[in-house]
Amino acid sequence: METASSSGLEGVNAANTAISHVDGEQGRLVIAGYDAEQLAQVATFEEATRRVLEAGRGASVDVTPAQLAQARIRAWELLPRLGDALDAADGMDALRAGLAHLRATSAGGSGYDDLADAITAIGAAPVFAAAWSRKQRGLVPVGPSVELDHASDYLRMTTGAAPSPAAAKALGAYLVTVSDHGMNASTFTARVVASTASDLISAVVAGVGALKGPLHGGAPGPVLDMLDAIGTPANAETWLLGELAAGRRIMGMGHRIYRVRDPRAAVLEVAVKPLSTPNLDLAHAVEAAAAKILRERKPDRPLAANVEFYTAVLLDAVGLPRGQFAPTFAVGRVAGWCAHVLEQRRVGKLIRPASTYVGPMPA
Ligand code: COA
């Protein structure tokens, strides 16, 4: 395994990364040297994947659309051997169980072939997520196609029909936008696992577990529930006040790092526009009402729309069922997790935060 001293990352700790940069004050996200807005417009998910993997490895990598398509095929061939993994009621449980069936390479004692494992994991995620979704709806899973790009194939495997170019483009922009985001909870989880010199598949499975929670990746489904419950802009304020009075948070609002609107919200708004969904106007109205109420309630704590707000609108507009929203986040973020595993390998140090003991001492 390459070590920090041989990689040029001497003294680097887990908080230093060349993969993405989150500026919470300015509301800026840079992924592998590109503003997220720019990357989402010019790059396919396959290209973004290569760029983040290269940023993680610190060298060029050979990851092609054809390799990812082959990985989708291999995952599809594994489907009959997944037992009841894809029968779980929750899509993230199913994805975690499905990905756990993947086997990491073992390069004969010299460590793992992380790049090969990354391609396997990135290719498998959409296949398992789409197959789970179809099984949930009582439909027969649809196999991947080597003819299609990753985003189009994911949509086709989900709906059973070739997607419109506009829907495929919007989903591609979404997958690129969420491919990496600094040291978020699931990425940190994946890095901790990699830092023990465990394999990439284990890191990805752990990442899925961390992403599942509604404080991280599980919010877009509830955002769509919220938009449905509100129904029309006129109801927004009353409904939102009721939520807060009941002690609940407004889903899709607030962020640990951003003190302004999450820049990814704007990228997704632009991406979803060509699909002319009526939910976009409603989402704008609900966001404005929520921002106003939260500003009044918490003047010292800026709480603006986060990525999940417009994720809900976009993923609904491209035809994905809401139970599949969190797994779809994982389909994009798995690229970032893998890039961070590559980067953590170069750091080559165990991540081991200290704890402060506050319990009783022996008498
Ligand atoms: N609705 C209502 N109040 C909110 C809120 C929301 N969406 N987000 C934060 N707050 C309030 C909290 O209640 C807390 O108030 P208090 O100090 O009176 O207890 C204060 O703002 C700070 O919240 P805290 O949980 O400490 O901030 P955080 O940085 O840990 O939270 C999130 C970040 C994302 C977990 C949080 O904003 C949240 O729960 N959002 C809703 C879920 C969501 O959209 N998740 C997707 C994230 S990308």
Side-chain angles (χ1 to χ4, degrees):
M1 186 195 306
E2 200 178 15
T3 63
S5 56
S6 65
S7 66
L9 287 174
E10 291 87 348
V12 165
N13 60 45
N16 287 358
T17 177
I19 304 167
S20 67
H21 171 59
V22 182
D23 183 336
E25 298 298 325
Q26 302 296 322
R28 184 177 193 195
L29 169 62
V30 173
I31 301 174
Y34 293 81
D35 273 309
E37 294 88 324
Q38 190 192 3
L39 196 64
Q41 272 175 22
V42 302
T44 60
F45 176 70
E46 285 88 331
E47 284 159 2
T49 295
R50 182 178 56 74
R51 286 176 201 275
V52 293
L53 292 176
E54 285 183 344
R57 174 153 275 191
S60 63
V61 298
D62 185 24
V63 176
T64 62
Q67 283 173 317
L68 285 176
Q70 284 306 325
R72 296 197 298 275
I73 303 276
R74 288 200 304 277
W76 171 254
E77 288 166 357
L78 195 62
L79 230 55
R81 301 199 295 283
L82 294 186
D84 63 0
L86 301 188
D87 295 333
D90 183 282
M92 291 298 267
D93 289 344
L95 185 61
R96 173 176 44 69
L99 291 171
H101 279 72
L102 300 175
R103 297 221 176 103
T105 53
S106 180
S110 60
Y112 301 103
D113 183 344
D114 290 319
L115 199 54
D117 292 340
I119 293 169
T120 295
I122 296 166
V127 176
F128 296 164
W132 167 81
S133 170
R134 289 186 69 83
K135 279 170 146 258
Q136 280 291 305
R137 289 175 284 142
L139 302 169
V140 178
V142 170
S145 160
V146 289
E147 307 292 323
L148 295 179
D149 64 76
H150 207 70
S152 303
D153 207 15
Y154 180 46
L155 271 180
R156 194 185 124 277
M157 288 188 285
T158 298
T159 65
S164 72
K169 191 164 189 292
L171 182 66
Y174 167 78
L175 295 176
V176 170
T177 305
V178 301
S179 61
D180 198 53
H181 197 242
M183 201 55 64
N184 60 85
S186 58
T187 297
F188 182 61
T189 302
R191 271 189 97 124
V192 169
V193 174
S195 85
T196 70
S198 181
D199 65 281
L200 179 142
I201 302 298
S202 296
V204 164
V205 170
V208 172
L211 187 68
K212 177 186 174 188
L215 300 189
H216 189 6
V223 168
L224 198 60
D225 295 340
M226 170 176 75
L227 295 179
D228 284 352
I230 292 175
T232 67
N235 289 341
E237 195 156 334
T238 312
W239 192 92
L240 293 167
L241 288 171
E243 280 297 282
L244 293 176
R248 289 190 285 271
R249 292 182 174 203
I250 311 299
M251 288 292 122
M253 299 296 290
H255 198 271
R256 173 59 64 84
I257 305 292
Y258 292 119
R259 289 294 163 263
V260 291
R261 195 170 189 251
D262 186 330
R264 297 169 297 176
V267 180
L268 300 185
E269 266 180 302
V270 170
V272 76
K273 235 175 206 143
L275 296 174
S276 321
T277 167
N279 262 345
L280 189 56
D281 288 341
L282 178 61
H284 283 139
V286 173
E287 179 193 357
K292 176 173 161 280
I293 292 168
L294 291 171
R295 209 164 35 240
E296 287 162 5
R297 291 281 173 105
K298 301 234 156 281
D300 301 332
R301 168 86 187 183
L303 293 167
N306 62 48
V307 66
E308 310 289 26
F309 210 96
Y310 289 93
T311 291
V313 179
L314 187 148
L315 296 186
D316 181 53
V318 300
L320 296 180
R322 71 192 70 189
Q324 205 178 331
F325 289 1
T328 303
F329 192 164
V331 168
R333 182 55 58 83
V334 65
W337 294 333
C338 293
H340 279 270
V341 170
L342 298 183
E343 190 168 57
Q344 186 61 39
R345 295 285 195 239
R346 295 197 294 138
V347 174
K349 280 243 176 231
L350 178 71
I351 299 172
R352 201 325 186 167
S355 52
T356 304
Y357 179 67
V358 295
M361 292 300 282

